Amino acid sequence: MGRKERAKERREKRLEDIAEQRKIPYTDQQRWWCSETIAVVTGANRGIGYEIARQLAVHGLNVIITSRDIDNGRTAAKALQEEGLNVSVHQLDILDPDSVKMFAEWICESYGGIDILVNNAGVNFNLGSDNSVEYAEKVIATNYFGTKRMIETMIPLMKASTSGARIVNVSSRLGRLNGRRNRLGDVALRQELTDEGTLSEELIDRTMANFLEEVKLGSWTSGLWPQMYTDYSVSKLAVNAYTRLMAKALSNRSEGQQIYINCYCPGWVKTAMTGWAGNSPVEEGADTGVWLALFPGQPVSGKFFAERREINY
């Protein structure tokens, strides 16, 4: 058997295993949630977000999907409701502070809070360019600052429980600090972002500002920044760093008030955002996100996952 045939066989086996895992119900001892458990999935009118919402609802949760375009959101919610799933929808543009505030107020009035937040809404890389920076400001504003805005706004609304509330950030391996193929070229900055003693929100924000300034000046090709899908990679680097930072900030909360935050890479998934050019089905891309959201027992926090395995930042 050749290399390609073996790789195909391993991939098919992995897909079979994941499909089987999704079918296995959690035991009563593992199942910490119920039909009153509220999960919010942003950007869930299609693709990975839609599938995460569907799988969470299949597990019996009360799922709220959000969409920047409310008509698209309603269409998605209706499709899930027709499957008999407990799903509702609300308009949300994570770029708009007023929209985020209105959403939080609605959550508070309608549900009193949430148990799970999945930050999926974001902007993908430009498929026509390996080193795209045409939309750098929008990509950084959405993927990093929009995600950060949602976390900051929703943390006060996370419900207290013995199992802990959960935040899952959809990220990417392209944002790894020490990735072999696409690492941050600035060694000193990489060390600062890696070291828990120097990592700070101000450092992450300043790094994004410096990158955008170099984009404006045309000096971003100096080799100090990731060289593949540059703006997207930098935005996800920031999401990963912020996940670690927030995990540390939330680690001292008292018993019953814990919030666990992690990020994960769904892989190269066949969705509209990838032009249907991915090599993994959307069910596989959503699986680890759902697994982290429902993690039984004592969850981990501040970690990066792919295919239900922890990977390095």
Side-chain angles (χ1 to χ4, degrees), residues 131-284:
N131 304 80
S132 172
V133 294
E134 288 92 334
Y135 308 105
E137 288 188 347
K138 181 179 180 180
V139 172
I140 299 297
T142 306
N143 293 356
Y144 170 55
F145 287 105
T147 296
K148 184 170 77 163
R149 182 178 295 115
M150 280 299 297
I151 292 171
E152 291 174 343
T153 303
M154 301 307 292
I155 278 178
L157 299 181
M158 305 295 281
K159 293 180 179 178
S161 72
T162 56
S163 299
R166 319 290 173 88
I167 300 174
V168 179
N169 296 326
V170 179
S171 189
S172 172
R173 288 182 178 92
L174 288 170
R176 294 174 67 186
L177 284 167
N178 296 296
R180 288 182 298 174
R181 298 178 59 203
N182 201 44
R183 73 172 61 190
L184 184 67
D186 188 329
V187 177
L189 177 59
R190 192 166 72 231
Q191 181 59 38
E192 281 189 285
L193 290 167
T194 301
D195 189 338
E196 285 193 7
T198 54
L199 179 63
S200 67
E201 184 175 348
E202 191 275 334
L203 173 63
I204 302 169
D205 289 356
R206 187 175 71 244
T207 299
M208 296 304 101
N210 290 344
F211 168 67
L212 292 175
E213 182 63 24
E214 291 201 20
V215 169
K216 292 177 182 177
L217 297 174
S219 58
W220 62 274
T221 57
S222 61
L224 296 179
W225 304 103
Q227 295 301 294
M228 290 177 59
Y229 307 116
T230 302
D231 49 9
Y232 179 83
S233 299
V234 171
S235 74
K236 292 303 186 180
L237 180 154
V239 169
N240 292 348
Y242 189 71
T243 300
R244 291 170 45 229
L245 182 68
M246 287 307 300
K248 182 179 180 181
L250 295 169
S251 64
N252 294 324
R253 292 171 72 94
S254 60
E255 186 175 352
Q257 302 290 330
Q258 294 98 332
I259 300 175
Y260 303 102
I261 180 170
N262 295 284
C263 55
Y264 91 101
C265 176
W268 183 226
V269 181
K270 294 179 181 178
T271 66
M273 286 187 73
T274 62
W276 307 104
N279 55 21
S280 301
V282 69
E283 293 84 0
E284 181 179 351

Side-chain angles (χ1 to χ4, degrees), residues 39-46 49-50 53 63-70 72-74 76-77 87-94 99 103 106-107 117-118 120-121 150:
V40 170
V41 185
T42 67
N45 59 285
R46 65 177 186 175
Y50 178 88
V63 180
I64 302 162
I65 69 173
T66 77
S67 174
R68 187 175 54 186
D69 185 307
I70 189 58
N72 291 339
R74 286 170 178 156
V87 174
S88 56
V89 62
H90 197 277
Q91 192 278 336
L92 175 65
D93 182 354
I94 65 172
S99 178
F103 176 72
W106 175 77
I107 285 289
L117 170 64
V118 180
N120 168 74
M150 280 299 297

Side-chain angles (χ1 to χ4, degrees), residues 9-24 284 287 307-309:
E9 186 177 272
R10 287 196 299 270
R11 174 173 145 71
E12 289 177 348
K13 178 63 167 59
R14 189 173 76 248
L15 290 178
E16 289 175 2
D17 290 343
I18 289 173
E20 189 63 29
Q21 288 167 349
R22 287 201 304 272
K23 286 191 288 186
I24 298 174
E284 181 179 351
D287 177 75
E307 298 170 359
R308 297 196 182 189
R309 296 193 300 271

